[in-house]
Amino acid sequence: GQSLEQPSEVTAVEGAIVQINCTYQTSGFYGLSWYQQHDGGAPTFLSYNALDGLEETGRFSSFLSRSDSYGYLLLQELQMKDSASYFCAVKDSNYQLIWGAGTKLIIKP
Amino acid sequence: DGGITQSPKYLFRKEGQNVTLSCEQNLNHDAMYWYRQDPGQGLRLIYYSQIVNDFQKGDIAEGYSVSREKKESFPLTVTSAQKNPTAFYLCASDRGNQPQHFGDGTRLSIL
């Protein structure tokens, strides 16, 4: 079957750096996406990696290694507003998004 | 601005009643999706449509129905056969291998 694995919860301190890992097993691969979801809200798109390497968007970066079926989301200079759930998702050979269960990021002052 | 509009934001269903959730997009996306999210959980795919007049079941289609008569619209009906409909329902759209974008969601509860 198809699956994505990510930690259920990560805790970090305001101003620090945190990395959320995601490993995947899917039939086909058309890119790894990351989404942020605040409590009560809808997921919002953060980043997308189709090729190996690092993509940087402001304080957020995302990395992909297709040979390792692995990616991560890196959040720098953490702010309290970054407290949310973060989901990784992979598009499979049918162009369907397969979702991880989400990582709850808890930020302490 | 282009986007995805879901309505209503909150919906209450009585026992034995069918209810329909609206999803409209003006992004000119070919594909549209419906997801269900339960508290503290990830997203589960209900139905998806790659083109007009065609749709496929996702992982949890039982008790739901959809139609895709127009490119812009993909309404979801929660039928009385869905015995546990209380959840957060999310509509999304995309084109090809581009990332999906979401509406603001509809919260459905049972009266």
Side-chain angles (χ1 to χ4, degrees):
Chain A
Q2 305 193 99
S3 65
L4 277 77
E5 298 290 331
Q6 56 181 127
S8 59
E9 189 175 290
V10 172
T11 302
V13 178
E14 191 175 15
I17 299 173
V18 72
Q19 178 174 313
I20 300 174
N21 298 320
C22 176
T23 57
Y24 60 87
Q25 183 176 357
T26 58
S27 58
F29 178 86
Y30 286 103
L32 174 67
S33 299
W34 288 93
Y35 290 81
Q36 178 191 61
Q37 186 179 30
H38 286 100
D39 282 347
T44 56
F45 170 74
L46 289 178
S47 69
Y48 173 70
N49 295 69
L51 302 175
D52 293 348
L54 190 69
E55 294 282 342
E56 298 181 74
T57 308
R59 294 187 297 114
F60 294 2
S61 303
S62 58
F63 172 82
L64 174 66
S65 169
R66 288 173 294 172
S67 61
D68 295 322
S69 298
Y70 164 76
Y72 65 72
L73 179 69
L74 190 74
L75 296 83
Q76 304 182 74
E77 300 172 18
L78 285 172
Q79 302 174 11
M80 296 304 293
K81 68 178 182 179
D82 298 328
S83 295
S85 290
Y86 293 84
F87 293 88
C88 59
V90 166
K91 275 210 174 180
D92 68 6
S93 56
N94 295 318
Y95 289 100
Q96 297 311 304
L97 263 187
I98 310 300
W99 292 80
T103 298
K104 185 172 183 178
L105 175 60
I106 299 170
I107 300 174
K108 297 184 176 180
Chain B
D1 288 335
I4 302 172
T5 302
Q6 289 187 242
S7 62
K9 191 169 184 177
Y10 299 96
L11 187 58
F12 298 91
R13 195 192 87 170
K14 293 180 181 178
E15 198 75 34
Q17 185 182 42
N18 292 354
V19 292
T20 298
L21 285 60
S22 171
C23 178
E24 303 278 332
Q25 56 99 359
N26 61 2
L27 300 167
N28 198 32
H29 284 170
D30 297 306
M32 298 187 73
Y33 308 81
W34 274 106
Y35 292 95
R36 169 180 172 142
Q37 188 176 34
D38 293 285
Q41 304 297 313
L43 279 70
R44 292 186 291 169
L45 184 64
I46 305 173
Y47 267 99
Y48 64 99
S49 169
Q50 303 278 24
I51 57 172
V52 175
N53 292 322
D54 188 46
F55 49 83
Q56 284 79 41
K57 293 181 179 180
D59 301 322
I60 55 165
E62 186 173 348
Y64 301 97
S65 65
V66 293
S67 62
R68 186 86 187 275
E69 297 177 2
K70 299 186 304 181
K71 187 176 186 178
E72 300 80 16
S73 179
F74 192 41
L76 173 74
T77 297
V78 183
T79 74
S80 57
Q82 174 48 250
K83 298 305 180 186
N84 183 24
T86 297
F88 188 37
Y89 290 87
L90 290 156
C91 179
S93 71
D94 67 13
R95 173 185 288 173
N97 62 349
Q98 297 303 306
Q100 284 184 7
H101 293 270
F102 287 82
D104 289 336
T106 294
R107 291 197 181 279
L108 176 62
S109 302
I110 298 179
L111 278 177

